[in-house]
Amino acid sequence: MLPGNVSPVTEEEVAGKPTTAVAGTRWLSQDERAAWLANSALMISLPAALDARMQRESQLTFFEYMVLSVLSEEPDHTMQMSRLAARTSASLSRLSHVVGRLEKRGLLARARIPGPGRRTNTTLTEAGYEVVVAAAPGHVAAVREFLIDELEPHELATLNRIGTAVEAAINRAAGSTSVETSVP
Amino acid sequence: MLPGNVSPVTEEEVAGKPTTAVAGTRWLSQDERAAWLANSALMISLPAALDARMQRESQLTFFEYMVLSVLSEEPDHTMQMSRLAARTSASLSRLSHVVGRLEKRGLLARARIPGPGRRTNTTLTEAGYEVVVAAAPGHVAAVREFLIDELEPHELATLNRIGTAVEAAINRAAGSTSVETSVP
DNA sequence: ACGTCGAACTTGACGCATCAAGTTCTACTC
DNA sequence: GAGTAGAACTTGATGCGTCAAGTTCGACGT
């Protein structure tokens, strides 16, 4: 459980309604606050739990696994950097660092794309593919244990909706980074 | 949107049912997979977006804000380290580092608790309180913009349920860290 | 009374993420 | 055709988080 990381004042000022503003701010209502706290705990604890387990079982970060996994699902185990970045919700910079490390470990390889522009392809190596395949069952098990198997079907559906909506709201606020997101 | 960070194989092997196992693993069904992908995006993007904004507007991390905020809601602006750690879903180690930094910045102070055992209290300073108060409106606005205002009431309720359930599942798996979590 | 255990921290080393800046291309402009 | 804009990365410095150890205390056994 998380606390009231919401307003620096004590209960009394917040009252019941989701509206009102003491000094121009719409504070959170009781329900909103509770939902936000629960979500904070989820946001903080879930990635940490998954990271810890993947690290133990496969010497991979949650994010590294995502990268390898996305590549493994392409027919040719290959994807362009910027596209891979969009697919993993990561900045190009972050991806570049991670790919650099994974390349050093021999799990994937980079290659300039001949055409116009400065584009780079990333491809899984044999070793890389074997690592993902080996790590997958543990990953899925963890996802089930911590999240999926805890939820009812309608909760799953709602979670899907929420994730999508939030992602949209963030991209909207970011002024749209204008990267490919849809599957061709 | 996020990709299939789930199974290293292509669609065909996963089929429709949430069950079945090619090699002993219960892979994710279409719906489960979709929900998981949406949740991944949420897990990754939301903290990042909040962190970035708080950093820009208040020179505070999302987590630093949480710490200060929790303290600000205590009547005496004081809380014991281990309790504060539980309230913020953080390890004692992480909290210790963060509190150290915030102390250096003059936003809070530590003091040994006289009684038995090795306990430490953390207290907001005047400056610290002013910082939270100043940062709060921006924080709430961001939370609303990215999450709360995007959701219908029933979605809020479900999110609450999900967060609680996940937190419970993780704590269960962790063999119970045995720290206080309930409010007295 | 002495030693051991465990709880409650603290500290240091190391790794990963972020941000700002640099590079390498094409394309467009005047 | 030189210059500028801009997309697609890459790189380096800095800072936060994690993990493993270390410290400091009381309690409990013998």
Side-chain angles (χ1 to χ4, degrees), chain A residues 61 63-64 91 93-94 97-98 101 112 116-118:
Chain A
T61 304
F63 183 70
E64 287 171 338
S91 70
S93 167
R94 178 181 185 182
H97 281 296
V98 170
R101 275 175 246 138
R112 280 287 320 271
R118 188 205 190 184

Side-chain angles (χ1 to χ4, degrees), chain B residues 61 63-64 91 93-94 97-98 101 112 116-118:
Chain B
T61 304
F63 183 69
E64 288 171 339
S91 69
S93 168
R94 178 180 186 183
H97 282 296
V98 171
R101 275 175 248 138
R112 282 285 323 271
R118 189 205 189 186

Side-chain angles (χ1 to χ4, degrees), chain A residues 57-85:
Chain A
E57 296 182 357
S58 315
Q59 279 70 251
L60 285 178
T61 304
F62 171 45
F63 183 70
E64 287 171 338
Y65 175 78
M66 274 184 47
V67 169
L68 297 181
S69 172
V70 168
L71 287 177
S72 78
E73 287 178 342
E74 291 298 295
D76 50 358
H77 292 184
T78 297
M79 194 179 276
Q80 194 187 333
M81 290 287 290
S82 47
R83 199 163 151 60
L84 188 51

